Amino acid sequence: MRKAIFAFIMLSTAATTAAAFTPMELASRTVERRAVEAVIWGIPAVNYDLMLQEMLTKTKGKVNQILYWSRPLDWHNQTLTPNPDAIYLMAFTDTKSVGPVVIEVPPASVDIFLAPKAPKGEEANWIPTDPERKFEVMFRLYAPTKALFDKSWVLPDLEKSGL
C-alpha cells in the first residue's frame, strides 16, 4: 500500500511539474540545454585544435609526431583551459594521409627528474620545480589493470638524486 501511495504522489508531482511549463518555456529550456551541451562537447574539440596550432606554429613538431611540452602552460599558449600545473604530452595524428596510426609504448622504466634546473643530459626527462615552494607529486593511473587492484604492482618510491 505504501508503494502505491508513493508512486501516486511521484506521478502526480511529475505531471504537475511538466504541466507548469508552457510550450514556449519548454522550447526555451530545450534551446538552453542544447547550448550547454554544445559547449561541453565542443571545448575538447576546440582545445585539441588550439594545441595543434600551437605545435605547428611555435615548435618544429609535425602531425603524426608526439609532442611533449616540457614546461607548464601559461597565457602564451592560447588554449581554452591551460593548466599551469600539468605537463602536456599530446599525439596529433592524421589518419587521412597515412592510414591507421598505432602508438606503441614499450614497457620500460623512465627516470623523471624534478628539480629547479635540468640535470645535464637529462633535459628531456626534467620537470621544473620552484625551489622556494613545496611541491607534491601526484600520479594518475588511467585504465588500471588487475595488478593495481590486487596490489601485485606497486608504485616505486621516489629517490633523492645527487645531481
Side-chain angles (χ1 to χ4, degrees), residues 50-129:
L50 288 171
M51 293 292 270
L52 172 63
Q53 298 312 315
E54 288 288 309
M55 178 195 69
L56 294 174
T57 59
K58 295 184 180 174
T59 72
K60 295 178 183 176
K62 297 180 179 125
V63 175
N64 295 329
Q65 293 180 338
I66 295 177
L67 183 69
Y68 168 74
W69 267 273
S70 61
R71 296 213 177 248
L73 299 179
D74 60 16
W75 67 272
H76 291 96
N77 186 300
Q78 296 296 309
T79 62
L80 296 177
T81 55
N83 183 349
D85 297 327
I87 303 295
Y88 285 81
L89 177 92
M90 300 189 77
F92 299 101
T93 57
D94 177 12
T95 57
K96 185 176 181 182
S97 64
V98 297
V101 175
V102 176
I103 300 172
E104 287 189 43
V105 180
S109 171
V110 177
D111 292 328
I112 308 260
F113 296 90
L114 300 126
K117 294 184 180 177
K120 186 169 177 116
E122 299 294 344
E123 292 83 2
N125 294 348
W126 168 60
I127 297 176
T129 60

Side-chain angles (χ1 to χ4, degrees), residues 28-47:
S28 175
R29 289 170 59 106
T30 300
V31 169
E32 290 170 11
R33 228 178 5 258
R34 287 181 182 160
V36 168
E37 288 174 8
V39 170
I40 290 170
W41 286 96
I43 284 177
V46 171
N47 235 14

